[in-house]
């Protein structure tokens, strides 16, 4: 263990967020991987990761197991919009970024489950309304009314009348 951690801890410290290390930037084609990371990658990536953590905290990701927040999407959008080459351009949403559009054409995403889109209040209202509807449909008078409607539909051929009606409407 001592051999693995014998180097001083200061050697492993990362630069301060948003600051490039002091000194002349090295040639990106000839510098070591460590220098490249310290001068070109970390000054851009670390503030983005900090923004991801702040956004995750806002989205309450640390409170539950499931969340609709996708950190890689947020980081992609953040890095794209903070790119110095896009300094004077307006904010672009993730799904409007050209390379994201191209990627999603070939690799469509599955829809986000409704359980992640609804707030707890909205979900509880849906569940309660479903339950109330179920209890009402179990009532004997409602069952009798539903049977009467079914017989009426069968006797008067309502489905055929509706089909003829729409056929006339489409013909116009």
């Amino acid at each position: 263990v001592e051999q693995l951690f014998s180097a001083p801890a200061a050697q492993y410290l990362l630069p301060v967020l948003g600051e490039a290390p002091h000194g002349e930037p090295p040639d990106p084609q000839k510098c070591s991987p460590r220098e490249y990371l310290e001068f070109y990658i970390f000054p851009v990536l670390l503030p983005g990761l900090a923004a991801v953590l702040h956004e995750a905290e806002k989205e309450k990701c640390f409170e539950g197991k499931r969340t609709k927040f996708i950190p890689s999407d947020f980081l992609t959008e953040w890095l794209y919009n903070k790119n110095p080459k896009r300094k004077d351009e307006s904010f672009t949403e993730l799904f409007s970024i050209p390379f994201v559009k191209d990627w999603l054409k070939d690799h469509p995403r599955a829809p986000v489950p409704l359980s992640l889109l609804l707030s707890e209040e909205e979900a509880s209202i849906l569940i309660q309304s479903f339950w109330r509807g179920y209890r009402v449909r179990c009532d004997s008078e409602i069952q009798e009314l539903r049977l009467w409607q079914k017989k009426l539909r069968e006797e008067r051929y309502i489905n055929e009348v509706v089909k003829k009606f729409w056929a006339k409407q489409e013909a116009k």
Side-chain angles (χ1 to χ4, degrees):
V1 174
E2 288 179 20
Q3 291 175 347
L4 292 174
F5 298 106
S6 60
Q11 176 183 344
Y12 299 108
L13 292 178
L14 298 175
V16 177
L17 293 182
E19 281 186 16
H22 300 294
E24 191 67 27
D27 178 13
Q29 302 294 327
K30 298 178 183 177
C31 65
S32 70
R34 180 187 175 101
E35 289 175 325
Y36 188 83
L37 286 172
E38 287 177 353
F39 277 90
Y40 299 103
I41 303 296
F42 288 152
V44 175
L45 186 61
L46 291 179
L49 292 175
V52 167
L53 288 173
H54 289 295
E55 189 66 23
E57 190 174 18
K58 278 187 210 172
E59 296 284 336
K60 300 180 181 175
C61 293
F62 305 119
E63 295 175 13
K65 288 183 179 181
R66 298 178 66 211
T67 179
K68 65 181 177 182
F69 179 68
I70 303 172
S72 58
D73 287 356
F74 179 84
L75 185 61
T76 302
E77 183 180 277
W78 190 91
L79 288 171
Y80 184 79
N81 286 304
K82 299 293 181 177
N83 186 342
K85 293 178 183 176
R86 298 190 70 250
K87 190 183 234 182
D88 299 328
E89 295 181 34
S90 63
F91 178 83
T92 306
E93 290 187 9
L94 177 73
F95 297 111
S96 299
I97 298 173
F99 67 85
V100 174
K101 281 184 183 177
D102 293 342
W103 173 262
L104 290 176
K105 283 179 190 173
D106 299 332
H107 308 88
R109 288 185 171 185
V112 178
L114 188 60
S115 62
L116 295 178
L117 295 176
L118 296 175
S119 68
E120 284 189 30
E121 294 166 8
E122 293 168 327
S124 64
I125 289 170
L126 273 177
I127 292 167
Q128 290 169 6
S129 63
F130 174 80
W131 180 251
R132 281 192 296 268
Y134 172 76
R135 295 299 302 160
V136 166
R137 288 188 296 274
C138 289
D139 187 0
S140 60
E141 290 179 1
I142 301 297
Q143 288 291 325
E144 187 179 327
L145 176 64
R146 292 177 78 190
L147 277 173
W148 176 79
Q149 287 175 330
K150 184 178 178 184
K151 286 180 187 175
L152 185 64
R153 265 187 253 121
E154 290 170 356
E155 289 172 0
R156 294 192 178 176
Y157 304 105
I158 296 296
N159 289 337
E160 291 177 22
V161 172
V162 169
K163 284 181 186 176
K164 287 178 185 177
F165 170 78
W166 283 113
K168 277 184 185 178
Q169 292 298 325
E170 290 175 358
K172 290 180 181 180

